[in-house]
Amino acid sequence: MHRVLVDQGSSADVMFLTTFNQLQLSTNQLRPYTGCLHGFARDQVEVREHIELRTTFTDGTTLRTTNIRYLVVNAPSAYNILLGRSALNRIGAIASTRHMKMKLPSLEGAVITIKSDQKEAKKCYENNLKTKRGAFVVTTRPPREDGVTRVEIARENRPEPAKDVVEREIGGKTFKLGRSLTQESQDQVAEVIARHLDPIAWSASNMPGIDPDFLCHRLTMDPHVRPVLQRRQKFNEERRRFIREETKKLLKANYIREIQYPEWLANVVLVKKASRKWRMCVDFTNLNKACPKDSYPLASIDALVDSASGCRLLNSLDAFSCYNQIMMHPRDECKTTFMTKLSCYCYKVMPFVLEYMALNESGVNCLKGFSQSF
């Protein structure tokens, strides 16, 4: 098979419809697929079905055969097949655009090196650009007063995600569902939410927190760093009122407590959110500098996209308050002290902008398992 594009940025393996017809494969091998492919420019491509084929990779001397699921796509392309991360991860392949080669291990332990044809690759690239240029529409607008003809170049209209939502009461609470969903899909989503209302917190009092013996937030401090007492920052009346209200909420939720004679002291910082409302944070810059960085390997965006590949629905449940369930270690509470006009308070739970966390063995396993679930 010639003209195969190895795309490490694609989350799907694609076979174009023209290639499927040229291979004279039976349509009985096709399986239904519900969904569309979306490019980085938000363009949508129709997916017919998917087919699973035994694919052989060889350099002429050594070969390896594996099953790969291809999405059959009806779209113009200069390539026959597109291999994405799914196939590359399955065969353990490493591609190098600099050397125009791809290497993968055989089942016997040998290394298979597949070389690319530079002339063919350049030709496919140029043909693919010509195909993309056809996505523009040129329209002639009425001439100006001076007689000059104006030409407007614009992209074809592409479907945009629906922004309208419909409110629905489930279990005595109001949820927002996409209006573009069918009534059957809305009923299915409502049924799932109704079965799992317990994990959803509607207020701070609904989050009792995690047992500190199982998991807690502990700071690993540099013993040679001296505590820092920041100079008090002044705010206008509007911001002082907001800080006072937010402090009352934290006290009512039992997230903070009043403290006297702190060694570390930080200022409150107000940040504008996208909704034009204020968010109260604490300037822990000095405290973070005193803690060595623990570079925990979080899941990359490619892994998150791959794990969501093939899903039909997307929910936007807000889980931003989950960090408030983790208790601070008692000896480190005083290091999270911040000042207001009335008094000084320290956090009893994990604050928003603390970066470094030391967990016991059970907590580490729990955090890793949580990352793998996404």
Side-chain angles (χ1 to χ4, degrees), residues 86-224:
S86 178
L88 298 179
N89 294 338
R90 179 185 292 265
I91 62 178
I94 298 178
S96 173
T97 55
R98 179 181 178 87
H99 303 93
M100 300 290 288
K101 294 181 181 179
M102 183 178 74
K103 292 188 177 183
L104 64 145
S106 66
L107 297 179
E108 293 78 16
V111 177
I112 302 175
T113 303
I114 301 178
K115 301 179 181 179
S116 174
D117 187 347
Q118 280 194 341
K119 292 184 179 180
E120 188 72 18
K122 184 177 181 180
K123 183 179 179 181
C124 289
Y125 178 73
E126 293 176 348
N127 292 337
N128 202 44
L129 289 180
K130 294 178 182 178
T131 304
K132 289 185 177 180
R133 292 192 188 104
F136 292 90
V137 178
V138 181
T139 57
T140 303
R141 299 177 61 183
R144 298 186 309 193
E145 297 179 356
D146 54 4
V148 178
T149 302
R150 296 180 294 177
V151 177
E152 180 180 359
I153 302 177
R155 288 185 179 272
E156 293 180 352
N157 294 328
R158 298 190 176 96
E160 296 288 341
K163 298 181 180 180
D164 294 337
V165 294
V166 56
E167 294 187 354
R168 181 163 178 172
E169 186 173 342
I170 305 173
K173 302 294 183 180
T174 303
F175 288 83
K176 295 181 180 179
L177 305 179
R179 193 181 296 273
S180 60
L181 293 176
T182 62
Q183 187 62 40
E184 181 182 0
S185 298
Q186 292 185 17
D187 295 339
Q188 293 175 352
V189 172
E191 182 182 354
V192 173
I193 295 176
R195 292 201 310 264
H196 301 87
L197 281 175
D198 291 342
I200 302 177
W202 303 99
S203 64
S205 59
N206 296 139
M207 298 186 294
I210 301 174
D211 187 356
D213 294 334
F214 171 72
L215 183 146
C216 67
H217 189 100
R218 191 183 333 181
L219 300 177
T220 304
M221 304 286 295
D222 186 350
H224 303 290

